[in-house]
Amino acid sequence: MGRRALSAGFGPDLRSARLGSGMSLSALAARSGVSLTSLSRFEGGTRQPGFADACDLARALGTPLLFLA
């Protein structure tokens, strides 16, 4: 079974959730364990996260994974 990409809306949804929680990129990186470079690429839409990173980000933001996916 192949990997399925998350929706193209992941980046904007991630940014919206991060800003809504009042977190900086640095704070989200520290809280989630996802690198600052990766977060920047996710938000910019140049890269999609794997499932584990998406789960870590949702947990760090206190938001359901489905909101980001």
Side-chain angles (χ1 to χ4, degrees):
M1 185 179 288
R3 292 177 74 182
R4 189 166 21 151
L6 294 171
S7 77
F10 184 88
D13 290 344
L14 175 61
R15 180 174 167 78
S16 175
R18 179 180 61 78
L19 293 175
S21 71
M23 254 190 268
S24 67
L25 275 174
S26 310
L28 181 55
R31 181 178 270 188
S32 68
V34 176
S35 76
L36 186 57
T37 301
S38 291
L39 283 175
S40 188
R41 289 178 180 159
F42 297 158
E43 283 195 5
T46 60
R47 189 167 161 222
Q48 293 292 313
F51 184 71
D53 282 345
C55 289
D56 290 341
L57 291 167
R59 189 175 307 112
L61 290 165
T63 190
L65 180 58
L66 288 177
F67 176 79
L68 299 177

